[in-house]
Each structure stands twice: as C-alpha cells, then as structure tokens.
Amino acid sequence: MIQIRPLSRDQSVPMDLLLLADPSKEKVLAYIQSGSCYVAFHEQELIGVYVLSSRSQHTVEIMNVAVKESWQGKGIGKQLVRHAITEAKTAGAHTIEIGTGNSSIHQLALYQKCGFRLTSIDHDFFLKHYDEPIYENGIQCMDMVRLSYVLQAD
C-alpha cells in the first residue's frame, strides 16, 4: 500500500530523488521553494516524490516526478501523476501541465497514459538551460516536450 502526502515541515526535501528527474540542483531548489512537494511511502520507505507549482490562477504544473530506482516500473509514477491531478482539481485548477525531455520515452508514454496531450515543443531548452549534456535511452535530451491535461473548461 502506497501513501502519498505533502512533505511535512520537519522532513528534509528528498533531493536525491528529485535529482533523478532533474539533474540541476539549482533548478530543483528554485521550484521547491515556490511549489508544493508530495512524497510517497511504502511502509516507512520513501519511494517517490513530485512537485506541484501554480503557474497562473487556473493552471498548475507538475515540476518533477521521481521514483526510487528499485521501485520503478511498478506503477508508482502513475500513482504520483494521478495524485497530482486530484490535487490540482481540488485546488480548483482548470489545467495541469508537465514538461519532459524529448529523450524521456518512458515519461512521455506515462503522461499520455494518464490523459495528458502534447501541446508544444520548446526547442533547445536543455541545451540552453543545462550546463552538461543529458542523455537518456541513447538519445541526447535537447528539447522540452510540453503536455497538458484539461481538468475543467474555463
């Protein structure tokens, strides 16, 4: 049984997990300050995390979704994304957005399975905003693929 809850004030930010999904500690620290961090536990073991951030009055963005490597491929990511959708609906958001790299094949599949639709591509995003090249699945991560999920009509 997986429990997902907001990170409590007495808990430290699970930076090791967050860095699995975003290798820039500076960027993670910036959106952790402005967003809400949610953590997933199996019994006492921290196995996943996501960060939800308000983009505008009616739009929120999932800034990071990460699952401990030993728990990947077991549906935890899908549970985290679905939890984020529920939280966004509860907060009254109309749209939830997420971005991932062009090389993030598994994440692109996951988000679409959860109902997200491709909306745009931010060309050269990772080349412009990250100092070191990122490779996944033998592909250089260069472009940010943006997806969105409409929760309710405006």
Side-chain angles (χ1 to χ4, degrees):
M1 175 85 173
I2 304 304
Q3 293 183 327
I4 303 171
R5 62 179 182 259
L7 183 72
S8 63
R9 296 207 184 275
D10 62 335
Q11 288 180 295
S12 59
V13 172
M15 191 59 69
D16 56 334
L17 276 180
L18 292 164
L19 290 172
L20 288 175
D22 187 336
S24 171
K25 189 172 185 177
E26 293 169 350
K27 289 185 182 5
V28 171
L29 289 171
Y31 57 70
I32 277 290
Q33 295 303 313
S34 63
S36 300
C37 186
Y38 293 82
V39 288
F41 285 90
H42 176 261
E43 297 174 359
Q44 301 300 318
E45 182 182 5
L46 175 63
I47 61 170
V49 62
Y50 77 87
V51 178
L52 197 60
S53 183
S54 179
R55 305 302 287 162
S56 70
Q57 183 179 356
H58 298 294
T59 304
V60 297
E61 182 174 358
I62 301 173
M63 301 299 294
N64 189 312
V65 178
V67 175
K68 189 174 181 179
E69 289 176 353
S70 61
W71 282 86
Q72 291 177 6
K74 299 180 180 179
I76 307 305
K78 185 178 282 187
Q79 288 182 52
L80 290 169
V81 172
R82 288 190 173 150
H83 189 272
I85 291 168
T86 300
E87 289 296 312
K89 284 180 184 175
T90 302
H94 295 185
T95 306
I96 186 168
E97 298 177 342
I98 194 164
T100 193
N102 60 283
S103 56
S104 301
I105 296 166
H106 300 294
Q107 292 87 336
L108 284 166
L110 167 65
Y111 304 147
Q112 291 176 84
K113 287 176 186 177
C114 290
F116 285 78
R117 302 280 310 268
L118 298 170
T119 53
S120 65
I121 297 173
D122 187 347
H123 292 279
D124 296 333
F125 178 88
F126 293 96
L127 301 177
K128 293 175 188 171
H129 299 285
Y130 287 78
D131 295 332
E132 299 292 323
I134 301 168
Y135 287 88
E136 296 174 290
N137 303 302
I139 303 166
Q140 185 173 4
C141 184
M142 296 185 283
D143 306 319
M144 170 79 76
V145 180
R146 308 283 309 155
L147 302 95
S148 66
Y149 182 107
V150 176
L151 301 165
Q152 51 189 313
D154 286 326

